[in-house]
Amino acid sequence: VRGIAMSHRAINYGMNRDAYFPVANRELMVLIAIETPLGVENIHEIVNVEGVDGIFIGPADLATSMGHLANPAHPEVQEAIRKIEEAVLPTGKFLGTVAPNAQAAQKLYDRGYGIIYMMSDLGAVVKAAQAEVKAFKEAQNP
């Protein structure tokens, strides 16, 4: 059962409903975010739910919920991520996560991830601003 909203962005704020509704169910994906130890513990059951198209790992949230504040590199978190990968990849369902840069994204892709969020508009603006501030400071102190 789903709701029908007539004013959201996907439907162009109500101006595209005749084109949107006929294809919405066919084109939408259902991804379940795994960000807690309970999600990791139940990954086999979750990934086998009918209608679930894939699993998304939120590495920083997972790390934090495991007691390793924003540290997805912690060995315990990496083991949890491996457990998720081992449960999802053989199913042929999507596995997704985030990557800090192109090199990390490539490694994830090579491991079988099909959805990788890399960068963000805000992150790109922040990096550009930091580079400009650094260049300005360096120009002041040659």
Side-chain angles (χ1 to χ4, degrees):
V1 176
R2 61 176 280 182
I4 298 292
M6 301 295 252
S7 61
H8 55 81
R9 184 170 53 95
I11 198 169
N12 200 19
Y13 305 102
M15 295 184 286
N16 193 29
R17 69 178 181 201
D18 292 336
Y20 175 78
F21 287 133
V23 297
N25 286 335
R26 183 174 69 237
E27 293 185 356
L28 292 178
M29 288 191 315
V30 175
L31 297 175
I32 304 298
I34 302 296
E35 299 178 333
T36 66
L38 185 59
V40 176
E41 181 181 325
N42 292 297
I43 189 61
H44 290 285
E45 291 83 3
I46 294 168
V47 78
N48 286 306
V49 170
E50 185 176 339
V52 170
D53 296 305
I55 300 295
F56 183 86
I57 302 170
D61 290 330
L62 178 59
T64 300
S65 72
M66 293 176 71
H68 308 291
L69 182 62
N71 182 12
H74 189 281
E76 189 176 330
V77 179
Q78 287 299 302
E79 178 58 33
I81 290 171
R82 277 189 293 282
K83 184 176 180 180
I84 297 168
E85 291 171 344
E86 290 169 1
V88 176
L89 290 172
T91 69
K93 294 186 178 188
F94 287 104
L95 182 59
T97 193
V98 296
N101 55 49
Q103 295 81 10
Q106 184 64 53
K107 288 179 183 177
L108 291 164
Y109 180 78
D110 291 343
R111 283 182 14 214
Y113 284 75
I115 298 173
I116 304 166
Y117 292 99
M118 183 184 74
M119 297 180 57
S120 69
D121 50 359
L122 179 58
V125 170
V126 167
K127 283 184 180 182
Q130 289 172 330
E132 290 299 314
V133 169
K134 181 181 177 187
F136 179 78
K137 287 181 178 179
E138 289 171 353
Q140 303 308 306
N141 299 308

